[in-house]
Amino acid sequence: MFKNFMQAGAVHFVQVDCTRVAGISEFLTVSLLARKFGLPVVPHVGDMGQIHQHMVLFNIIAMGHEALFLECIPHLQQYFVAPARAENGVYVTPQTPGCSSDLKGVAPEKATAIQP
């Protein structure tokens, strides 16, 4: 869909969300397409600013996208071990390894996939 919108000139800001497309790989694919079409990427954070803060850093450093904007929706921060932080309107670059999405009270070695 993103490619079709870009080809048709129907989008001016690309708001890809890695939790609503097929994950990080698909997010990067859409970001690369946006770069090819000369379009800025302003991720739709939804509930996961945790992961998108890393995606924006990658977009700026590796792909040369302009640093524009990233939503901050803090209502779920209390559930993360290392929540995304914004100070003075700017995300603070995470200093710990990982994608900042470890949940409190869940030991990584005991985490399992949720079964439907």
Side-chain angles (χ1 to χ4, degrees), residues 18 24 27-28 31 41 43 45 48-63 65 70-71 80 82-85 91-102:
C18 72
I24 291 172
F27 179 98
L28 296 176
S31 289
V41 176
V45 171
M48 286 303 292
Q50 302 298 119
I51 295 172
H52 288 93
Q53 65 183 337
H54 297 281
M55 299 292 88
V56 166
L57 285 172
F58 183 84
N59 277 352
I60 295 166
I61 295 166
M63 291 192 207
H65 280 289
L70 179 62
E71 297 172 299
F80 293 98
R85 293 185 312 120
Y91 270 90
V92 177
T93 303
Q95 300 299 308
T96 56
C99 63
S100 306
S101 59
D102 292 332

Side-chain angles (χ1 to χ4, degrees), residues 12-115:
H12 300 286
F13 288 87
V14 177
Q15 280 205 280
V16 61
D17 183 329
C18 72
T19 64
R20 288 171 172 80
V21 295
I24 291 172
S25 296
E26 184 76 9
F27 179 98
L28 296 176
T29 300
V30 173
S31 289
L32 283 168
L33 275 171
R35 185 76 177 139
K36 179 185 181 318
F37 283 93
L39 296 169
V41 176
V42 180
H44 173 265
V45 171
D47 298 330
M48 286 303 292
Q50 302 298 119
I51 295 172
H52 288 93
Q53 65 183 337
H54 297 281
M55 299 292 88
V56 166
L57 285 172
F58 183 84
N59 277 352
I60 295 166
I61 295 166
M63 291 192 207
H65 280 289
E66 184 180 354
L68 291 175
F69 182 78
L70 179 62
E71 297 172 299
C72 180
I73 304 173
H75 72 281
L76 296 176
Q77 287 183 337
Q78 64 186 339
Y79 301 107
F80 293 98
V81 173
R85 293 185 312 120
E87 292 179 6
N88 299 317
V90 178
Y91 270 90
V92 177
T93 303
Q95 300 299 308
T96 56
C99 63
S100 306
S101 59
D102 292 332
L103 295 170
K104 288 181 181 177
V106 178
E109 64 276 1
K110 295 186 181 193
T112 58
I114 298 172
Q115 301 298 319

